[in-house]
Every structure is written in C-alpha cells, then in structure tokens.
Amino acid sequence: MTLPAFWRQPSFSVVETAELVGVSEATFRAWLTRAPPGDHLGVKTHGRIHFTGRDVFYYQLVAHLSEFGVPIRTALFAAAQHATDELPGEEWLVVKSAGDVTNFELAEDIPAAAAPALVLPLRALAIGLIERAAAVYATEGA
C-alpha cells in the first residue's frame, strides 16, 4: 500500500487530530504538554499547529495504550517506536501490565497466552486510520 501524502505532510489541525484519535480536544492538548517526542509535536504555521498522518497514528496508539492503563509518559514513549514513516508490518503489539511494570512485545501471531493483555493489530489500525483521515483530508481541500 502506498502511503498518502498526508502521512508525512502536516495536514490535520488539533481538533481534527483529536477527532481522528477518538479523544477530546482537552485530552489531546494535555498529552501535548506531557512532552511527547519532538517529532510528534506537530508543525506550527501561522499560529496554528498541524499534524501529519503519522502523528495521528502515534496519538491513536497513545490512546489505546492509556485506555489499557499504561501511564501516559510510558505510552508516549512506547508509541513512538511504532509510528514511523513506513506503514507498520503485520505484527501484533502485545502489552502486558503487572503492577508498576508494563511490557511491550511485537508478535507475528496473537500469542495463545495473551490474556490479560492488550493486543493491537498495528497495520490494521494504520489502514483504518488512513481511510478515516482521507475523508477529513478530502473535505479540507474542498
């Protein structure tokens, strides 16, 4: 699959990014204050911040991880490992928490002993996001 131009170009506002990720604008802005890696802070032009599709995917992963109970700073760091310039492979991200320790593992298949764990199909999440983001991107240009 060829990645769309918006995957690498700053194309989505703060509000659009929050909507695509599925969180409130206030939650998204709070994440921005938690010092995410510098390449996911967006690009500021004319007083507004815009995010790439890759950034939106990054914050979508952060949302899934934080919903599972991963501390936000850990989620911000872990998501950066998987939101790259390339479309993710067919791996599954398996997240297990035990007390204060969270383990992240990439697996080719869903492990039989995955419960209790969060299992994220990285490529499927990215493709679904690209489809939703394409609709937003198309209306932006109209």
PDB file of all heavy atoms in Angstrom, residues 22-60:
ATOM      1  N   GLY A  22      -9.999   9.905  18.547  1.00  0.00           N
ATOM      2  CA  GLY A  22     -11.132   9.482  19.373  1.00  0.00           C
ATOM      3  C   GLY A  22     -11.065   9.963  20.799  1.00  0.00           C
ATOM      4  O   GLY A  22     -11.583   9.310  21.704  1.00  0.00           O
ATOM      5  N   VAL A  23     -10.400  11.111  21.009  1.00  0.00           N
ATOM      6  CA  VAL A  23     -10.328  11.705  22.346  1.00  0.00           C
ATOM      7  C   VAL A  23     -10.808  13.145  22.266  1.00  0.00           C
ATOM      8  O   VAL A  23     -10.923  13.715  21.182  1.00  0.00           O
ATOM      9  CB  VAL A  23      -8.888  11.659  22.923  1.00  0.00           C
ATOM     10  CG1 VAL A  23      -8.409  10.229  23.088  1.00  0.00           C
ATOM     11  CG2 VAL A  23      -7.917  12.451  22.074  1.00  0.00           C
ATOM     12  N   SER A  24     -11.062  13.722  23.418  1.00  0.00           N
ATOM     13  CA  SER A  24     -11.486  15.122  23.437  1.00  0.00           C
ATOM     14  C   SER A  24     -10.299  16.027  23.108  1.00  0.00           C
ATOM     15  O   SER A  24      -9.136  15.635  23.270  1.00  0.00           O
ATOM     16  CB  SER A  24     -12.043  15.495  24.809  1.00  0.00           C
ATOM     17  OG  SER A  24     -10.997  15.522  25.757  1.00  0.00           O
ATOM     18  N   GLU A  25     -10.609  17.221  22.659  1.00  0.00           N
ATOM     19  CA  GLU A  25      -9.548  18.184  22.366  1.00  0.00           C
ATOM     20  C   GLU A  25      -8.752  18.490  23.629  1.00  0.00           C
ATOM     21  O   GLU A  25      -7.523  18.622  23.583  1.00  0.00           O
ATOM     22  CB  GLU A  25     -10.153  19.461  21.787  1.00  0.00           C
ATOM     23  CG  GLU A  25      -9.122  20.507  21.433  1.00  0.00           C
ATOM     24  CD  GLU A  25      -9.731  21.796  20.917  1.00  0.00           C
ATOM     25  OE1 GLU A  25     -10.948  21.857  20.650  1.00  0.00           O
ATOM     26  OE2 GLU A  25      -8.963  22.771  20.795  1.00  0.00           O
ATOM     27  N   ALA A  26      -9.423  18.572  24.767  1.00  0.00           N
ATOM     28  CA  ALA A  26      -8.738  18.851  26.038  1.00  0.00           C
ATOM     29  C   ALA A  26      -7.750  17.740  26.389  1.00  0.00           C
ATOM     30  O   ALA A  26      -6.623  18.015  26.822  1.00  0.00           O
ATOM     31  CB  ALA A  26      -9.755  19.029  27.153  1.00  0.00           C
ATOM     32  N   THR A  27      -8.155  16.493  26.199  1.00  0.00           N
ATOM     33  CA  THR A  27      -7.256  15.369  26.461  1.00  0.00           C
ATOM     34  C   THR A  27      -6.056  15.422  25.532  1.00  0.00           C
ATOM     35  O   THR A  27      -4.909  15.253  25.959  1.00  0.00           O
ATOM     36  CB  THR A  27      -7.996  14.027  26.283  1.00  0.00           C
ATOM     37  OG1 THR A  27      -9.041  13.943  27.258  1.00  0.00           O
ATOM     38  CG2 THR A  27      -7.065  12.839  26.430  1.00  0.00           C
ATOM     39  N   PHE A  28      -6.313  15.679  24.263  1.00  0.00           N
ATOM     40  CA  PHE A  28      -5.219  15.741  23.296  1.00  0.00           C
ATOM     41  C   PHE A  28      -4.241  16.857  23.649  1.00  0.00           C
ATOM     42  O   PHE A  28      -3.023  16.656  23.631  1.00  0.00           O
ATOM     43  CB  PHE A  28      -5.778  15.925  21.878  1.00  0.00           C
ATOM     44  CG  PHE A  28      -4.707  15.968  20.835  1.00  0.00           C
ATOM     45  CD1 PHE A  28      -3.936  14.844  20.574  1.00  0.00           C
ATOM     46  CD2 PHE A  28      -4.458  17.120  20.129  1.00  0.00           C
ATOM     47  CE1 PHE A  28      -2.926  14.884  19.619  1.00  0.00           C
ATOM     48  CE2 PHE A  28      -3.461  17.166  19.169  1.00  0.00           C
ATOM     49  CZ  PHE A  28      -2.693  16.049  18.916  1.00  0.00           C
ATOM     50  N   ARG A  29      -4.764  18.021  24.002  1.00  0.00           N
ATOM     51  CA  ARG A  29      -3.883  19.137  24.380  1.00  0.00           C
ATOM     52  C   ARG A  29      -3.097  18.811  25.649  1.00  0.00           C
ATOM     53  O   ARG A  29      -1.945  19.208  25.787  1.00  0.00           O
ATOM     54  CB  ARG A  29      -4.686  20.420  24.540  1.00  0.00           C
ATOM     55  CG  ARG A  29      -5.157  20.997  23.214  1.00  0.00           C
ATOM     56  CD  ARG A  29      -5.846  22.337  23.388  1.00  0.00           C
ATOM     57  NE  ARG A  29      -6.385  22.828  22.144  1.00  0.00           N
ATOM     58  CZ  ARG A  29      -5.690  23.509  21.233  1.00  0.00           C
ATOM     59  NH1 ARG A  29      -4.417  23.754  21.437  1.00  0.00           N
ATOM     60  NH2 ARG A  29      -6.270  23.934  20.123  1.00  0.00           N
ATOM     61  N   ALA A  30      -3.702  18.064  26.562  1.00  0.00           N
ATOM     62  CA  ALA A  30      -2.981  17.649  27.774  1.00  0.00           C
ATOM     63  C   ALA A  30      -1.812  16.732  27.409  1.00  0.00           C
ATOM     64  O   ALA A  30      -0.731  16.842  28.002  1.00  0.00           O
ATOM     65  CB  ALA A  30      -3.928  16.950  28.747  1.00  0.00           C
ATOM     66  N   TRP A  31      -2.020  15.837  26.447  1.00  0.00           N
ATOM     67  CA  TRP A  31      -0.926  14.972  26.004  1.00  0.00           C
ATOM     68  C   TRP A  31       0.217  15.794  25.424  1.00  0.00           C
ATOM     69  O   TRP A  31       1.384  15.467  25.626  1.00  0.00           O
ATOM     70  CB  TRP A  31      -1.403  13.970  24.972  1.00  0.00           C
ATOM     71  CG  TRP A  31      -2.332  12.921  25.481  1.00  0.00           C
ATOM     72  CD1 TRP A  31      -2.610  12.621  26.791  1.00  0.00           C
ATOM     73  CD2 TRP A  31      -3.112  12.026  24.700  1.00  0.00           C
ATOM     74  NE1 TRP A  31      -3.515  11.596  26.859  1.00  0.00           N
ATOM     75  CE2 TRP A  31      -3.837  11.207  25.598  1.00  0.00           C
ATOM     76  CE3 TRP A  31      -3.269  11.826  23.339  1.00  0.00           C
ATOM     77  CZ2 TRP A  31      -4.697  10.200  25.167  1.00  0.00           C
ATOM     78  CZ3 TRP A  31      -4.124  10.841  22.902  1.00  0.00           C
ATOM     79  CH2 TRP A  31      -4.831  10.034  23.802  1.00  0.00           C
ATOM     80  N   LEU A  32      -0.118  16.850  24.692  1.00  0.00           N
ATOM     81  CA  LEU A  32       0.915  17.692  24.090  1.00  0.00           C
ATOM     82  C   LEU A  32       1.782  18.361  25.151  1.00  0.00           C
ATOM     83  O   LEU A  32       2.953  18.655  24.898  1.00  0.00           O
ATOM     84  CB  LEU A  32       0.290  18.748  23.177  1.00  0.00           C
ATOM     85  CG  LEU A  32      -0.360  18.231  21.895  1.00  0.00           C
ATOM     86  CD1 LEU A  32      -1.057  19.364  21.158  1.00  0.00           C
ATOM     87  CD2 LEU A  32       0.654  17.548  20.998  1.00  0.00           C
ATOM     88  N   THR A  33       1.233  18.600  26.326  1.00  0.00           N
ATOM     89  CA  THR A  33       2.005  19.214  27.402  1.00  0.00           C
ATOM     90  C   THR A  33       2.856  18.200  28.157  1.00  0.00           C
ATOM     91  O   THR A  33       3.672  18.581  28.988  1.00  0.00           O
ATOM     92  CB  THR A  33       1.095  19.944  28.412  1.00  0.00           C
ATOM     93  OG1 THR A  33       0.270  18.980  29.074  1.00  0.00           O
ATOM     94  CG2 THR A  33       0.245  20.999  27.730  1.00  0.00           C
ATOM     95  N   ARG A  34       2.674  16.920  27.900  1.00  0.00           N
ATOM     96  CA  ARG A  34       3.402  15.856  28.606  1.00  0.00           C
ATOM     97  C   ARG A  34       4.724  15.503  27.939  1.00  0.00           C
ATOM     98  O   ARG A  34       5.297  14.461  28.223  1.00  0.00           O
ATOM     99  CB  ARG A  34       2.550  14.586  28.690  1.00  0.00           C
ATOM    100  CG  ARG A  34       1.271  14.763  29.413  1.00  0.00           C
ATOM    101  CD  ARG A  34       1.526  14.776  30.881  1.00  0.00           C
ATOM    102  NE  ARG A  34       0.236  14.763  31.568  1.00  0.00           N
ATOM    103  CZ  ARG A  34       0.094  15.062  32.813  1.00  0.00           C
ATOM    104  NH1 ARG A  34       1.130  15.372  33.535  1.00  0.00           N
ATOM    105  NH2 ARG A  34      -1.093  15.051  33.363  1.00  0.00           N
ATOM    106  N   ALA A  35       5.192  16.358  27.048  1.00  0.00           N
ATOM    107  CA  ALA A  35       6.486  16.194  26.395  1.00  0.00           C
ATOM    108  C   ALA A  35       6.601  14.935  25.544  1.00  0.00           C
ATOM    109  O   ALA A  35       7.452  14.090  25.782  1.00  0.00           O
ATOM    110  CB  ALA A  35       7.617  16.243  27.424  1.00  0.00           C
ATOM    111  N   PRO A  36       5.727  14.805  24.530  1.00  0.00           N
ATOM    112  CA  PRO A  36       5.910  13.687  23.601  1.00  0.00           C
ATOM    113  C   PRO A  36       7.217  13.887  22.838  1.00  0.00           C
ATOM    114  O   PRO A  36       7.755  14.998  22.824  1.00  0.00           O
ATOM    115  CB  PRO A  36       4.702  13.795  22.670  1.00  0.00           C
ATOM    116  CG  PRO A  36       4.258  15.204  22.766  1.00  0.00           C
ATOM    117  CD  PRO A  36       4.630  15.675  24.137  1.00  0.00           C
ATOM    118  N   PRO A  37       7.739  12.843  22.213  1.00  0.00           N
ATOM    119  CA  PRO A  37       8.967  13.010  21.431  1.00  0.00           C
ATOM    120  C   PRO A  37       8.805  14.156  20.432  1.00  0.00           C
ATOM    121  O   PRO A  37       7.729  14.362  19.862  1.00  0.00           O
ATOM    122  CB  PRO A  37       9.109  11.667  20.708  1.00  0.00           C
ATOM    123  CG  PRO A  37       8.353  10.702  21.565  1.00  0.00           C
ATOM    124  CD  PRO A  37       7.225  11.487  22.175  1.00  0.00           C
ATOM    125  N   GLY A  38       9.871  14.910  20.226  1.00  0.00           N
ATOM    126  CA  GLY A  38       9.836  16.115  19.403  1.00  0.00           C
ATOM    127  C   GLY A  38       9.292  15.955  18.010  1.00  0.00           C
ATOM    128  O   GLY A  38       8.716  16.886  17.461  1.00  0.00           O
ATOM    129  N   ASP A  39       9.440  14.784  17.418  1.00  0.00           N
ATOM    130  CA  ASP A  39       8.943  14.620  16.056  1.00  0.00           C
ATOM    131  C   ASP A  39       7.444  14.330  16.012  1.00  0.00           C
ATOM    132  O   ASP A  39       6.895  14.074  14.951  1.00  0.00           O
ATOM    133  CB  ASP A  39       9.737  13.558  15.301  1.00  0.00           C
ATOM    134  CG  ASP A  39       9.815  12.227  16.015  1.00  0.00           C
ATOM    135  OD1 ASP A  39       9.532  12.173  17.222  1.00  0.00           O
ATOM    136  OD2 ASP A  39      10.156  11.227  15.355  1.00  0.00           O
ATOM    137  N   HIS A  40       6.763  14.407  17.160  1.00  0.00           N
ATOM    138  CA  HIS A  40       5.306  14.221  17.195  1.00  0.00           C
ATOM    139  C   HIS A  40       4.605  15.434  17.818  1.00  0.00           C
ATOM    140  O   HIS A  40       3.477  15.322  18.280  1.00  0.00           O
ATOM    141  CB  HIS A  40       4.941  12.948  17.962  1.00  0.00           C
ATOM    142  CG  HIS A  40       5.438  11.715  17.299  1.00  0.00           C
ATOM    143  ND1 HIS A  40       4.937  11.246  16.105  1.00  0.00           N
ATOM    144  CD2 HIS A  40       6.425  10.857  17.639  1.00  0.00           C
ATOM    145  CE1 HIS A  40       5.585  10.159  15.750  1.00  0.00           C
ATOM    146  NE2 HIS A  40       6.490   9.898  16.664  1.00  0.00           N
ATOM    147  N   LEU A  41       5.265  16.568  17.819  1.00  0.00           N
ATOM    148  CA  LEU A  41       4.681  17.790  18.379  1.00  0.00           C
ATOM    149  C   LEU A  41       3.924  18.609  17.345  1.00  0.00           C
ATOM    150  O   LEU A  41       3.325  19.614  17.682  1.00  0.00           O
ATOM    151  CB  LEU A  41       5.772  18.661  19.012  1.00  0.00           C
ATOM    152  CG  LEU A  41       6.326  18.146  20.329  1.00  0.00           C
ATOM    153  CD1 LEU A  41       7.530  18.972  20.757  1.00  0.00           C
ATOM    154  CD2 LEU A  41       5.245  18.191  21.399  1.00  0.00           C
ATOM    155  N   GLY A  42       3.958  18.191  16.107  1.00  0.00           N
ATOM    156  CA  GLY A  42       3.274  18.933  15.056  1.00  0.00           C
ATOM    157  C   GLY A  42       4.155  20.051  14.515  1.00  0.00           C
ATOM    158  O   GLY A  42       5.266  20.280  14.984  1.00  0.00           O
ATOM    159  N   VAL A  43       3.615  20.747  13.530  1.00  0.00           N
ATOM    160  CA  VAL A  43       4.317  21.857  12.895  1.00  0.00           C
ATOM    161  C   VAL A  43       3.453  23.095  13.045  1.00  0.00           C
ATOM    162  O   VAL A  43       2.274  23.095  12.685  1.00  0.00           O
ATOM    163  CB  VAL A  43       4.566  21.558  11.394  1.00  0.00           C
ATOM    164  CG1 VAL A  43       5.191  22.754  10.700  1.00  0.00           C
ATOM    165  CG2 VAL A  43       5.443  20.326  11.248  1.00  0.00           C
ATOM    166  N   LYS A  44       4.054  24.157  13.578  1.00  0.00           N
ATOM    167  CA  LYS A  44       3.302  25.390  13.789  1.00  0.00           C
ATOM    168  C   LYS A  44       3.520  26.326  12.601  1.00  0.00           C
ATOM    169  O   LYS A  44       4.643  26.679  12.271  1.00  0.00           O
ATOM    170  CB  LYS A  44       3.758  26.065  15.081  1.00  0.00           C
ATOM    171  CG  LYS A  44       2.875  27.201  15.502  1.00  0.00           C
ATOM    172  CD  LYS A  44       3.238  27.683  16.895  1.00  0.00           C
ATOM    173  CE  LYS A  44       2.223  28.679  17.388  1.00  0.00           C
ATOM    174  NZ  LYS A  44       2.515  29.089  18.762  1.00  0.00           N
ATOM    175  N   THR A  45       2.412  26.692  11.948  1.00  0.00           N
ATOM    176  CA  THR A  45       2.443  27.648  10.847  1.00  0.00           C
ATOM    177  C   THR A  45       1.294  28.623  11.020  1.00  0.00           C
ATOM    178  O   THR A  45       0.163  28.217  11.290  1.00  0.00           O
ATOM    179  CB  THR A  45       2.320  26.954   9.472  1.00  0.00           C
ATOM    180  OG1 THR A  45       1.155  26.137   9.472  1.00  0.00           O
ATOM    181  CG2 THR A  45       3.533  26.110   9.166  1.00  0.00           C
ATOM    182  N   HIS A  46       1.596  29.885  10.895  1.00  0.00           N
ATOM    183  CA  HIS A  46       0.588  30.941  11.010  1.00  0.00           C
ATOM    184  C   HIS A  46      -0.198  30.836  12.324  1.00  0.00           C
ATOM    185  O   HIS A  46      -1.419  31.021  12.348  1.00  0.00           O
ATOM    186  CB  HIS A  46      -0.371  30.934   9.815  1.00  0.00           C
ATOM    187  CG  HIS A  46       0.333  31.032   8.496  1.00  0.00           C
ATOM    188  ND1 HIS A  46       1.024  32.140   8.091  1.00  0.00           N
ATOM    189  CD2 HIS A  46       0.473  30.121   7.500  1.00  0.00           C
ATOM    190  CE1 HIS A  46       1.551  31.926   6.902  1.00  0.00           C
ATOM    191  NE2 HIS A  46       1.229  30.706   6.515  1.00  0.00           N
ATOM    192  N   GLY A  47       0.489  30.487  13.403  1.00  0.00           N
ATOM    193  CA  GLY A  47      -0.148  30.437  14.711  1.00  0.00           C
ATOM    194  C   GLY A  47      -0.984  29.197  14.979  1.00  0.00           C
ATOM    195  O   GLY A  47      -1.633  29.103  16.019  1.00  0.00           O
ATOM    196  N   ARG A  48      -0.989  28.246  14.070  1.00  0.00           N
ATOM    197  CA  ARG A  48      -1.765  27.010  14.258  1.00  0.00           C
ATOM    198  C   ARG A  48      -0.840  25.801  14.144  1.00  0.00           C
ATOM    199  O   ARG A  48       0.105  25.800  13.369  1.00  0.00           O
ATOM    200  CB  ARG A  48      -2.872  26.902  13.220  1.00  0.00           C
ATOM    201  CG  ARG A  48      -3.907  28.002  13.353  1.00  0.00           C
ATOM    202  CD  ARG A  48      -5.059  27.756  12.407  1.00  0.00           C
ATOM    203  NE  ARG A  48      -6.037  28.797  12.540  1.00  0.00           N
ATOM    204  CZ  ARG A  48      -7.121  28.708  13.298  1.00  0.00           C
ATOM    205  NH1 ARG A  48      -7.361  27.619  13.978  1.00  0.00           N
ATOM    206  NH2 ARG A  48      -7.982  29.699  13.359  1.00  0.00           N
ATOM    207  N   ILE A  49      -1.179  24.758  14.895  1.00  0.00           N
ATOM    208  CA  ILE A  49      -0.393  23.536  14.854  1.00  0.00           C
ATOM    209  C   ILE A  49      -1.109  22.525  13.959  1.00  0.00           C
ATOM    210  O   ILE A  49      -2.326  22.341  14.071  1.00  0.00           O
ATOM    211  CB  ILE A  49      -0.214  22.937  16.262  1.00  0.00           C
ATOM    212  CG1 ILE A  49       0.491  23.939  17.167  1.00  0.00           C
ATOM    213  CG2 ILE A  49       0.565  21.638  16.211  1.00  0.00           C
ATOM    214  CD1 ILE A  49       0.566  23.512  18.607  1.00  0.00           C
ATOM    215  N   HIS A  50      -0.341  21.888  13.086  1.00  0.00           N
ATOM    216  CA  HIS A  50      -0.875  20.842  12.219  1.00  0.00           C
ATOM    217  C   HIS A  50      -0.042  19.574  12.384  1.00  0.00           C
ATOM    218  O   HIS A  50       1.161  19.638  12.634  1.00  0.00           O
ATOM    219  CB  HIS A  50      -0.891  21.287  10.756  1.00  0.00           C
ATOM    220  CG  HIS A  50      -1.953  22.293  10.486  1.00  0.00           C
ATOM    221  ND1 HIS A  50      -1.770  23.643  10.674  1.00  0.00           N
ATOM    222  CD2 HIS A  50      -3.230  22.141  10.078  1.00  0.00           C
ATOM    223  CE1 HIS A  50      -2.896  24.272  10.381  1.00  0.00           C
ATOM    224  NE2 HIS A  50      -3.793  23.379  10.014  1.00  0.00           N
ATOM    225  N   PHE A  51      -0.708  18.428  12.230  1.00  0.00           N
ATOM    226  CA  PHE A  51      -0.085  17.139  12.447  1.00  0.00           C
ATOM    227  C   PHE A  51      -0.138  16.302  11.181  1.00  0.00           C
ATOM    228  O   PHE A  51      -1.073  16.411  10.389  1.00  0.00           O
ATOM    229  CB  PHE A  51      -0.789  16.393  13.591  1.00  0.00           C
ATOM    230  CG  PHE A  51      -0.676  17.120  14.895  1.00  0.00           C
ATOM    231  CD1 PHE A  51      -1.630  18.055  15.268  1.00  0.00           C
ATOM    232  CD2 PHE A  51       0.395  16.886  15.742  1.00  0.00           C
ATOM    233  CE1 PHE A  51      -1.516  18.750  16.458  1.00  0.00           C
ATOM    234  CE2 PHE A  51       0.508  17.577  16.937  1.00  0.00           C
ATOM    235  CZ  PHE A  51      -0.438  18.509  17.304  1.00  0.00           C
ATOM    236  N   THR A  52       0.853  15.443  11.032  1.00  0.00           N
ATOM    237  CA  THR A  52       0.882  14.515   9.907  1.00  0.00           C
ATOM    238  C   THR A  52       0.009  13.304  10.230  1.00  0.00           C
ATOM    239  O   THR A  52      -0.376  13.099  11.387  1.00  0.00           O
ATOM    240  CB  THR A  52       2.322  14.025   9.653  1.00  0.00           C
ATOM    241  OG1 THR A  52       2.748  13.274  10.795  1.00  0.00           O
ATOM    242  CG2 THR A  52       3.285  15.171   9.388  1.00  0.00           C
ATOM    243  N   GLY A  53      -0.264  12.504   9.226  1.00  0.00           N
ATOM    244  CA  GLY A  53      -0.981  11.253   9.458  1.00  0.00           C
ATOM    245  C   GLY A  53      -0.205  10.333  10.379  1.00  0.00           C
ATOM    246  O   GLY A  53      -0.771   9.622  11.204  1.00  0.00           O
ATOM    247  N   ARG A  54       1.114  10.354  10.260  1.00  0.00           N
ATOM    248  CA  ARG A  54       1.964   9.559  11.148  1.00  0.00           C
ATOM    249  C   ARG A  54       1.787  10.004  12.597  1.00  0.00           C
ATOM    250  O   ARG A  54       1.719   9.177  13.505  1.00  0.00           O
ATOM    251  CB  ARG A  54       3.427   9.690  10.721  1.00  0.00           C
ATOM    252  CG  ARG A  54       4.396   8.912  11.585  1.00  0.00           C
ATOM    253  CD  ARG A  54       5.801   9.154  11.109  1.00  0.00           C
ATOM    254  NE  ARG A  54       6.186  10.528  11.361  1.00  0.00           N
ATOM    255  CZ  ARG A  54       7.195  10.876  12.152  1.00  0.00           C
ATOM    256  NH1 ARG A  54       7.928   9.967  12.738  1.00  0.00           N
ATOM    257  NH2 ARG A  54       7.489  12.136  12.334  1.00  0.00           N
ATOM    258  N   ASP A  55       1.696  11.325  12.816  1.00  0.00           N
ATOM    259  CA  ASP A  55       1.453  11.839  14.166  1.00  0.00           C
ATOM    260  C   ASP A  55       0.099  11.375  14.691  1.00  0.00           C
ATOM    261  O   ASP A  55      -0.030  10.999  15.858  1.00  0.00           O
ATOM    262  CB  ASP A  55       1.493  13.370  14.191  1.00  0.00           C
ATOM    263  CG  ASP A  55       2.853  13.951  13.876  1.00  0.00           C
ATOM    264  OD1 ASP A  55       3.873  13.284  14.157  1.00  0.00           O
ATOM    265  OD2 ASP A  55       2.893  15.075  13.342  1.00  0.00           O
ATOM    266  N   VAL A  56      -0.909  11.395  13.823  1.00  0.00           N
ATOM    267  CA  VAL A  56      -2.244  10.958  14.233  1.00  0.00           C
ATOM    268  C   VAL A  56      -2.199   9.487  14.632  1.00  0.00           C
ATOM    269  O   VAL A  56      -2.777   9.081  15.646  1.00  0.00           O
ATOM    270  CB  VAL A  56      -3.290  11.207  13.119  1.00  0.00           C
ATOM    271  CG1 VAL A  56      -4.666  10.707  13.558  1.00  0.00           C
ATOM    272  CG2 VAL A  56      -3.354  12.690  12.752  1.00  0.00           C
ATOM    273  N   PHE A  57      -1.482   8.666  13.855  1.00  0.00           N
ATOM    274  CA  PHE A  57      -1.324   7.252  14.191  1.00  0.00           C
ATOM    275  C   PHE A  57      -0.621   7.107  15.538  1.00  0.00           C
ATOM    276  O   PHE A  57      -1.020   6.291  16.370  1.00  0.00           O
ATOM    277  CB  PHE A  57      -0.547   6.525  13.090  1.00  0.00           C
ATOM    278  CG  PHE A  57      -0.324   5.069  13.370  1.00  0.00           C
ATOM    279  CD1 PHE A  57      -1.394   4.194  13.488  1.00  0.00           C
ATOM    280  CD2 PHE A  57       0.955   4.565  13.514  1.00  0.00           C
ATOM    281  CE1 PHE A  57      -1.188   2.836  13.753  1.00  0.00           C
ATOM    282  CE2 PHE A  57       1.175   3.224  13.765  1.00  0.00           C
ATOM    283  CZ  PHE A  57       0.099   2.355  13.897  1.00  0.00           C
ATOM    284  N   TYR A  58       0.401   7.907  15.755  1.00  0.00           N
ATOM    285  CA  TYR A  58       1.123   7.900  17.028  1.00  0.00           C
ATOM    286  C   TYR A  58       0.157   8.149  18.192  1.00  0.00           C
ATOM    287  O   TYR A  58       0.127   7.404  19.167  1.00  0.00           O
ATOM    288  CB  TYR A  58       2.225   8.966  16.990  1.00  0.00           C
ATOM    289  CG  TYR A  58       2.825   9.307  18.322  1.00  0.00           C
ATOM    290  CD1 TYR A  58       3.774   8.480  18.906  1.00  0.00           C
ATOM    291  CD2 TYR A  58       2.454  10.465  18.998  1.00  0.00           C
ATOM    292  CE1 TYR A  58       4.335   8.791  20.133  1.00  0.00           C
ATOM    293  CE2 TYR A  58       3.002  10.781  20.212  1.00  0.00           C
ATOM    294  CZ  TYR A  58       3.946   9.942  20.780  1.00  0.00           C
ATOM    295  OH  TYR A  58       4.491  10.256  22.002  1.00  0.00           O
ATOM    296  N   TYR A  59      -0.661   9.196  18.078  1.00  0.00           N
ATOM    297  CA  TYR A  59      -1.589   9.529  19.162  1.00  0.00           C
ATOM    298  C   TYR A  59      -2.723   8.509  19.280  1.00  0.00           C
ATOM    299  O   TYR A  59      -3.262   8.305  20.360  1.00  0.00           O
ATOM    300  CB  TYR A  59      -2.112  10.958  19.011  1.00  0.00           C
ATOM    301  CG  TYR A  59      -1.042  11.970  19.364  1.00  0.00           C
ATOM    302  CD1 TYR A  59      -0.426  12.734  18.385  1.00  0.00           C
ATOM    303  CD2 TYR A  59      -0.625  12.123  20.681  1.00  0.00           C
ATOM    304  CE1 TYR A  59       0.578  13.641  18.711  1.00  0.00           C
ATOM    305  CE2 TYR A  59       0.381  13.024  21.011  1.00  0.00           C
ATOM    306  CZ  TYR A  59       0.975  13.769  20.019  1.00  0.00           C
ATOM    307  OH  TYR A  59       1.976  14.656  20.353  1.00  0.00           O
ATOM    308  N   GLN A  60      -3.059   7.845  18.186  1.00  0.00           N
ATOM    309  CA  GLN A  60      -4.045   6.767  18.265  1.00  0.00           C
ATOM    310  C   GLN A  60      -3.480   5.622  19.120  1.00  0.00           C
ATOM    311  O   GLN A  60      -4.188   5.055  19.952  1.00  0.00           O
ATOM    312  CB  GLN A  60      -4.406   6.262  16.866  1.00  0.00           C
ATOM    313  CG  GLN A  60      -5.417   5.141  16.867  1.00  0.00           C
ATOM    314  CD  GLN A  60      -5.736   4.627  15.469  1.00  0.00           C
ATOM    315  OE1 GLN A  60      -5.036   4.909  14.504  1.00  0.00           O
ATOM    316  NE2 GLN A  60      -6.798   3.873  15.360  1.00  0.00           N
TER     317      GLN A  60
END
